[in-house]
Structures are given as structure tokens and as C-alpha cells.
């Protein structure tokens, strides 16, 4: 498993403070963007969400005490379920 460590623009939303652990993450040609953030100026825990190539978002309902805990949860999910678990599901025709 390889991790692409490109930077994420932390100034993209002034209402949120983004963790330096927020980043694009690529495994076997599948890429997602890991976003770890909290309301700006507050110390209320970190939120975790993952955006896939189709711009679908996976959001954890739990709030993490540290940004490192949030990133570790993301890594555990990738290890257990694979990066493909975040990939957009193809649209199935309705019958």
C-alpha cells in the first residue's frame, strides 16, 4: 500500500480548521481525499470524511479526540475493507 503525500489547501474553507493529516491518498490507482477537520477556533474533536473520485463522500459519525486518531481510523478502514470501499458505486438501472 502506498500513500500519496500531496498537500491539501487548508484555507479552502475559513469556517473549518483542517488537520495537516488531510491529504490525497492513492492505493493501486484508486485515489480519495481524506479530510480531517473541526470548526475553526473550537477544541471539540475532529471530524473525518473521505471524498472519492466521483465526489461521493463517506462521513464518520464519530468525532475523534485527535486528528491522529481520525487518520488511524481511515487507515484501519483501508486495511480491513480496501480503498475500493470508498469508490463510487456504479448506477444500476431500475427495472
Amino acid at each position: 500500500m502506498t500513500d500519496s503525500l500531496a498537500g491539501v489547501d487548508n484555507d479552502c474553507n475559513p469556517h473549518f480548521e483542517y488537520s495537516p493529516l488531510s491529504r490525497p491518498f492513492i492505493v493501486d490507482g484508486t485515489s480519495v481525499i481524506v479530510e480531517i477537520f473541526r470548526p475553526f477556533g473550537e477544541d471539540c474533536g475532529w471530524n473525518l470524511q473521505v471524498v472519492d473520485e466521483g465526489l461521493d463522500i463517506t462521513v464518520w459519525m464519530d468525532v475523534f479526540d485527535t486528528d491522529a486518531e481520525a487518520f488511524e481510523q481511515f487507515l484501519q478502514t483501508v486495511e480491513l475493507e480496501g480503498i475500493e470501499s470508498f469508490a463510487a458505486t456504479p448506477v444500476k438501472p431500475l427495472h
Side-chain angles (χ1 to χ4, degrees), residues 2-75:
T2 59
D3 173 10
S4 175
L5 298 177
V8 171
D9 182 7
N10 291 337
D11 297 325
C12 61
N13 188 332
H15 301 289
F16 294 104
E17 172 187 1
Y18 284 84
S19 164
L21 296 174
S22 297
R23 65 186 69 188
F25 192 90
I26 302 171
V27 176
D28 298 331
T30 300
S31 64
V32 297
I33 298 172
V34 180
E35 295 182 337
I36 301 170
F37 60 95
R38 64 183 174 188
F40 186 76
E42 295 187 25
D43 190 20
C44 60
W46 294 90
N47 298 288
L48 170 62
Q49 66 183 28
V50 176
V51 183
D52 72 13
E53 294 171 328
L55 301 180
D56 289 323
I57 301 172
T58 302
V59 178
W60 274 254
M61 300 308 292
D62 296 328
V63 175
F64 301 90
D65 290 334
T66 67
D67 57 346
E69 288 177 11
F71 191 69
E72 182 60 33
Q73 179 62 55
F74 165 75
L75 293 176

